[in-house]
Amino acid sequence: DTAVSQTPKYLVTQMGNDKSIKCEQNLGHDTMYWYKQDSKKFLKIMFSYNNKELIINETVPNRFSPKSPDKAHLNLHINSLELGDSAVYFCASSRGETGSDTQYFGPGTRLTVL
Amino acid sequence: GNSVTQMEGPVTLSEEAFLTINCTYTATGYPSLFWYVQYPGEGLQLLLKATKADDKGSNKGFEATYRKETTSFHLEKGSVQVSDSAVYFCALRDTGFQKLVFGTGTRLLVSP
């Protein structure tokens, strides 16, 4: 009974390809997120959705497009992959949007672009 | 803007040593503060949190106290174990904002 799950765990692909990463949470949370962790372990938010609506969209290239088919899922689609997209991508969820709500993270997807 | 500053690692300790990892923050409102831990090859896990000034978060022998006067949230443990080896992230979430702002992470290495 994994709380936040991501697939795939590892993704190796060529430059220029299009790929998707899926995220599902079974916690009944309303808010979901995507974070990017670079090679130096620095974590930065990319997107946030609340009740399937986009709430946060940081300065992320428009090659990245999140899609939330329902409250329990937030998928990340990446077009025209570039070398610099290589990173670990973490999905997270929280009950609500308030500052004290704990965010629960998935295990991460390590994307390697060759 | 909001930001979190952590001490640079790695922090290398022997088993049973005392641990302190410093964390200071800048925020415009009244943030909640968090420590997350990332074990090798795994995702982030919440270690502890504090939602208002003078609150102390604690879990698994780790503690951190929310100090508004010094804008700090230092992580401490009295006696570390080899299994505590991981990367520790300090983070804040400001009032009215959904996103977590993370520090750069501090790697802890504990040797037997």
Side-chain angles (χ1 to χ4, degrees):
Chain A
D1 46 335
T2 305
V4 182
S5 59
Q6 293 178 230
T7 52
K9 188 164 182 175
Y10 299 96
L11 185 53
V12 181
T13 188
Q14 299 287 331
M15 255 191 339
N17 284 350
D18 303 338
K19 290 291 178 187
S20 292
I21 306 172
K22 295 187 176 181
C23 177
E24 177 181 2
Q25 54 95 2
N26 62 6
L27 298 167
H29 288 167
D30 288 338
T31 309
M32 296 185 72
Y33 313 79
W34 277 107
Y35 288 85
K36 180 180 179 181
Q37 185 177 44
D38 64 23
S39 58
K40 295 184 179 175
K41 297 285 191 184
F42 184 64
L43 268 157
K44 192 162 189 246
I45 191 163
M46 300 172 70
F47 302 102
S48 168
Y49 269 70
N50 180 264
N51 281 318
K52 302 196 303 173
E53 286 191 29
L54 181 65
I55 302 297
I56 295 174
N57 184 349
E58 293 290 287
T59 49
V60 176
N62 57 15
R63 298 182 294 104
F64 290 78
S65 53
K67 286 185 173 48
S68 183
D70 55 56
K71 276 187 359 177
H73 295 83
L74 181 62
N75 304 324
L76 183 65
H77 188 75
I78 316 169
N79 288 329
S80 304
L81 278 155
E82 301 177 356
L83 293 176
D85 298 332
S86 295
V88 181
Y89 293 84
F90 287 100
C91 178
S93 73
S94 65
R95 184 168 51 89
E97 301 176 55
T98 63
S100 61
D101 283 328
T102 298
Q103 292 186 20
Y104 295 86
F105 283 76
T109 296
R110 182 175 293 278
L111 171 65
T112 303
V113 182
L114 304 174
Chain B
N2 297 338
S3 66
V4 176
T5 302
Q6 282 182 244
M7 60 190 289
E8 286 216 18
V11 173
T12 305
L13 295 172
S14 297
E15 208 164 22
E16 299 184 4
F18 184 85
L19 168 71
T20 300
I21 300 178
N22 289 339
C23 170
T24 57
Y25 67 90
T26 304
T28 52
Y30 301 94
S32 295
L33 302 174
F34 304 82
W35 277 102
Y36 280 84
V37 58
Q38 185 177 26
Y39 296 103
E42 296 185 15
L44 280 81
Q45 302 174 26
L46 178 69
L47 183 59
L48 52 85
K49 72 176 188 181
T51 58
K52 60 183 189 297
D54 300 325
D55 269 2
K56 178 187 279 190
S58 60
N59 185 25
K60 299 181 183 180
F62 290 89
E63 291 183 343
T65 302
Y66 189 142
R67 302 274 187 213
K68 193 167 187 295
E69 64 276 12
T70 54
T71 61
S72 65
F73 192 54
H74 303 323
L75 183 68
E76 296 182 337
K77 187 175 185 183
S79 175
V80 293
Q81 306 299 312
V82 172
S83 57
D84 294 327
S85 297
V87 180
Y88 292 81
F89 292 91
C90 185
L92 72 80
R93 197 177 185 196
D94 209 346
T95 312
F97 291 89
Q98 293 78 29
K99 65 180 183 182
L100 277 169
V101 175
F102 284 91
T104 50
T106 302
R107 183 178 297 277
L108 170 65
L109 300 168
V110 181
S111 54

